Amino acid sequence: MNNRKEVSGPAPTGTHVVPLPALPVPFQHQPELRAFLVLNEVPPGHMTFEVPDDTFAPHLQKGEFAVVDLSDHEPWDRELYVISFTSPRTRVGLAWRIVQMRARSMFLQRGRGWTTRPEPGSVPATCWTACFWMPPDDAAERERLRRAGMVGTSDGPYTTEHAAECLVGRIVGVFVPAVRDARAGGLRHA
């Protein structure tokens, strides 16, 4: 939600406008990079999830705490989420991981699964894959990584409804309490 208002014309009387400093390097738009909000408090309805490795760097780095919106379960293509799934390797029988959801258009046949071409009785549907890494969009780069053995794993296919049931929430930021502490004049010790 954007609460900013557009302001035009001269500054109101009695205010002092300070120009922003020039950037030390020319601005270069980099659409492949994505920035998360840096939060110094976890908002209500959100949770943190420790990032276990650098699989999703530069967006999330090992040791950081991702902020997860627990109300946002609807999958979006290329967005990062925390997903839950059954796992016999844990005592509670569940595991949680960070994934990037990927979508593609396919056809779903009742009781027979997915197909890439329309067949009698099939309906167009979005097929979701939960990737435990960030596959590159470029086909040549994907092939290079595959040949080098540098590919990740994924889970799926999911229907949109099934993906929404498995997703804990969408990652919306990174929790950095040091920002809050710095604004308060440094770390406080009792």
Side-chain angles (χ1 to χ4, degrees):
M1 187 166 158
N2 188 351
N3 292 327
R4 297 186 328 182
K5 295 180 181 176
E6 293 294 323
V7 179
S8 60
T13 307
T15 62
H16 179 68
V17 177
V18 178
L20 294 173
L23 293 173
V25 294
F27 175 78
Q28 180 180 1
H29 183 62
Q30 298 175 325
E32 70 280 0
L33 296 181
R34 188 172 160 235
F36 281 118
L37 295 172
V38 175
L39 303 170
N40 60 10
E41 293 183 15
V42 179
H46 292 67
M47 70 171 216
T48 60
F49 187 83
E50 186 174 4
V51 179
D53 54 39
D54 287 330
T55 301
F56 294 99
H59 312 299
L60 298 170
Q61 297 179 14
K62 182 178 181 175
E64 290 181 332
F65 289 90
V67 177
V68 182
D69 182 350
L70 297 173
S71 68
D72 192 347
H73 302 272
E74 193 69 25
W76 286 90
D77 192 35
R78 293 174 170 62
E79 288 288 327
L80 299 182
Y81 293 84
V82 171
I83 194 170
S84 68
F85 53 92
T86 58
S87 172
R89 296 181 178 180
T90 65
R91 279 187 281 165
V92 295
L94 289 174
W96 297 268
R97 294 276 306 269
I98 296 173
V99 295
Q100 182 186 54
M101 296 302 290
R102 299 305 277 292
R104 59 192 158 144
S105 296
M106 293 184 69
F107 296 88
L108 185 58
Q109 295 181 311
R110 297 271 181 223
R112 293 185 55 209
W114 296 91
T115 180
T116 57
R117 285 177 259 147
E119 295 180 8
S122 66
V123 293
T126 301
C127 177
W128 291 96
T129 304
C131 300
F132 298 105
W133 68 306
M134 290 178 62
D137 292 325
D138 181 50
E141 179 64 9
R142 276 195 312 273
E143 180 61 19
R144 186 190 72 75
L145 291 174
R146 186 189 68 76
R147 288 176 190 242
M150 298 170 55
V151 295
T153 58
S154 61
D155 191 33
Y158 293 95
T159 61
T160 301
E161 295 77 21
H162 186 224
E165 290 173 8
C166 296
L167 295 175
V168 174
R170 186 170 60 92
I171 296 174
V172 296
V174 178
F175 176 59
V176 183
V179 173
R180 177 188 60 222
D181 295 336
R183 288 181 184 152
L187 294 174
R188 297 184 180 175
H189 301 282

